[in-house]
Amino acid sequence: MRKVYYIFNSKTRTYDRVYPNTAQKVLTWLRSFLFFLIFGGVSFLIFYLCIQTPSLKEVQDENSRLLAQYRILSQRLDDAMEVLEGIQQRDDNLYRVLMNAEPVAEVARTSGYGGTGRYDELMDMDNAALVVETTQKADMLAKQLYLQIKSFDEIVELSKDQEDYLKHLPAIQPIANRDLKKTASGYGYRIDPIYKTKKFHSGMDFSCDMRTPVYATGDAVVASSKWETGYGMTVELDHGYGYRTRYAHLNSSKVKVGQKVVRGEHIADSGNSGKSTGPHLHYEVVFKGRKVNPVNYYFMDLDADGYDEMLRMAENHGKVYD
């Protein structure tokens, strides 16, 4: 019902009816409109913040689950990349070394995908940083897996024509040491046991009793069998293909210069000759005149777990005997 307004007339002492003009009517309408607009907005806000509809609650729960799944996926991708990195290191430092192949270029493995707008469509999503980072990890893993498969394909092709090469390659430990308990010290800088100074140890030491059998680690020709200063009684084998091996601090040699030997043949007995602090075998691998880390040349003797354990033990300073 429309409100009716009156005003007291003092002359006639009666109430006269008041009729509002157009401007007053519009002002009254605007006040009512603004009141209902503000009231409706506040009511909607309170409803939105305090009272969730079942569909809205379901969407929010789904978003939370997706966010948790992305975080788990990101962590699993990190774990997968760590495993792949170990495979890549073994490929470069073992398989490709054995096949005389150059390591895969680091830039090829670490370079990202071209184009600056590859992930633009993901930037409008909630938690865009996490989504983009996880997608980038998945892309990088896929790329590096592809490169690794191509690398293994290359190794397989190289190995097909290198049967003789593989026979001559140093590929086993020089003494019986499957449990690895005789591993004493690896390749690298160590403290000299006699002079107590830091010195580069150019091979691997194996602790063993006197007269423990020493074996040729690959088919070869005996290059020398003699006493050498510091090394004591020493046998050196020429495997061809740029490889030589040295067996030092021996008690006795079982071979002569020029003699052909095969992998696993008994060529000497361990001892304590030369600059040595106890019975052991010092073993070196030389490739193209440069002494290299022997730990990369036991692939016929160790499975994957044994190889990893040998790497760990070789990195440790261990006990140096010479």
Side-chain angles (χ1 to χ4, degrees):
M1 179 182 295
R2 180 183 298 176
K3 291 184 178 180
V4 179
Y5 297 92
Y6 293 89
I7 187 171
F8 181 72
N9 189 332
S10 59
K11 292 181 179 180
T12 61
R13 296 184 179 277
T14 59
Y15 286 92
D16 296 334
R17 185 173 178 177
V18 177
Y19 294 93
N21 58 31
T22 303
Q24 290 173 329
K25 291 180 180 179
V26 170
L27 184 61
T28 301
W29 182 86
L30 284 175
R31 281 200 300 265
S32 300
F33 176 76
L34 288 174
F35 171 78
F36 285 110
L37 182 64
I38 293 171
F39 177 79
V42 171
S43 300
F44 176 78
L45 184 62
I46 292 173
F47 176 82
Y48 181 81
L49 294 177
C50 301
I51 305 175
Q52 295 183 343
T53 63
S55 59
L56 178 61
K57 181 77 164 57
E58 183 178 343
V59 169
Q60 290 179 336
D61 289 344
E62 181 64 20
N63 285 340
S64 296
R65 286 193 293 269
L66 288 173
L67 182 60
Q69 290 173 355
Y70 260 103
R71 286 173 176 156
I72 294 172
L73 176 60
S74 180
Q75 181 59 54
R76 289 181 176 175
L77 287 171
D78 288 338
D79 295 340
M81 289 293 291
E82 186 175 344
V83 173
L84 179 58
E85 184 179 354
I87 295 173
Q88 291 170 343
Q89 290 178 357
R90 186 172 298 182
D91 183 30
D92 286 342
N93 299 323
L94 178 61
Y95 305 139
R96 301 187 74 82
V97 169
L98 297 178
M99 293 297 105
N100 248 347
E102 291 294 324
V104 176
E106 185 67 19
V107 65
R109 280 183 168 150
T110 58
S111 61
Y113 283 87
T116 57
R118 182 178 178 84
Y119 305 104
D120 286 351
E121 71 276 10
L122 304 177
M123 298 307 297
D124 294 333
M125 299 179 63
D126 292 338
N127 301 290
L130 176 61
V131 174
V132 170
E133 180 185 7
T134 304
T135 306
Q136 288 174 332
K137 289 179 182 179
D139 287 344
M140 183 59 71
L141 180 62
K143 177 182 178 180
Q144 294 195 14
L145 281 172
Y146 173 78
L147 289 174
Q148 192 58 56
I149 290 171
K150 298 297 288 184
S151 176
F152 284 153
D153 288 343
E154 182 184 353
I155 295 298
V156 170
E157 289 302 316
L158 288 171
S159 66
K160 289 179 180 178
D161 300 323
Q162 299 200 30
E163 183 177 353
D164 185 68
Y165 168 74
L166 290 174
K167 287 181 180 179
H168 287 79
L169 187 70
I172 63 173
Q173 296 180 84
I175 64 172
N177 186 36
R178 287 195 175 276
D179 59 6
L180 305 182
K181 292 182 179 179
K182 295 177 182 177
T183 306
S185 180
Y187 176 93
Y189 283 97
R190 304 289 186 263
I191 300 300
D192 189 286
I194 296 177
Y195 301 114
K196 307 302 180 184
T197 58
K198 194 173 184 180
K199 181 181 178 183
F200 190 80
H201 190 239
S202 58
M204 288 191 71
D205 286 347
F206 295 87
S207 61
C208 52
D209 296 331
M210 291 286 292
R211 300 181 180 84
T212 296
V214 176
Y215 305 107
T217 56
D219 293 6
V221 175
V222 179
S224 67
S225 177
K226 62 182 181 180
W227 184 279
E228 295 187 24
T229 302
Y231 284 106
M233 186 61 201
T234 304
V235 169
E236 185 171 332
L237 302 183
D238 184 355
H239 298 266
Y241 302 98
Y243 284 99
R244 286 185 173 236
T245 52
R246 178 178 284 128
Y247 312 77
H249 307 295
L250 303 172
N251 180 71
S252 62
S253 170
K254 304 291 185 182
V255 293
K256 297 179 180 180
V257 175
Q259 179 180 338
K260 291 183 178 181
V261 296
V262 297
R263 179 181 290 128
E265 184 172 339
H266 183 187
I267 60 172
D269 289 334
S270 66
N272 189 30
S273 58
K275 178 178 166 288
S276 173
T277 58
H280 76 289
L281 172 69
H282 176 83
Y283 174 64
E284 293 179 359
V285 177
V286 182
F287 179 61
K288 294 183 178 179
R290 184 174 64 90
K291 295 175 182 178
V292 295
N293 193 342
V295 77
N296 294 320
Y297 295 90
Y298 303 137
F299 74 98
M300 287 189 177
D301 229 8
L302 303 174
D303 58 17
D305 291 337
Y307 178 78
D308 290 339
E309 178 65 11
M310 175 66 84
L311 283 176
R312 185 191 66 79
M313 296 177 72
E315 287 295 327
N316 184 26
H317 286 189
K319 183 177 181 181
V320 182
Y321 286 87
D322 50 60

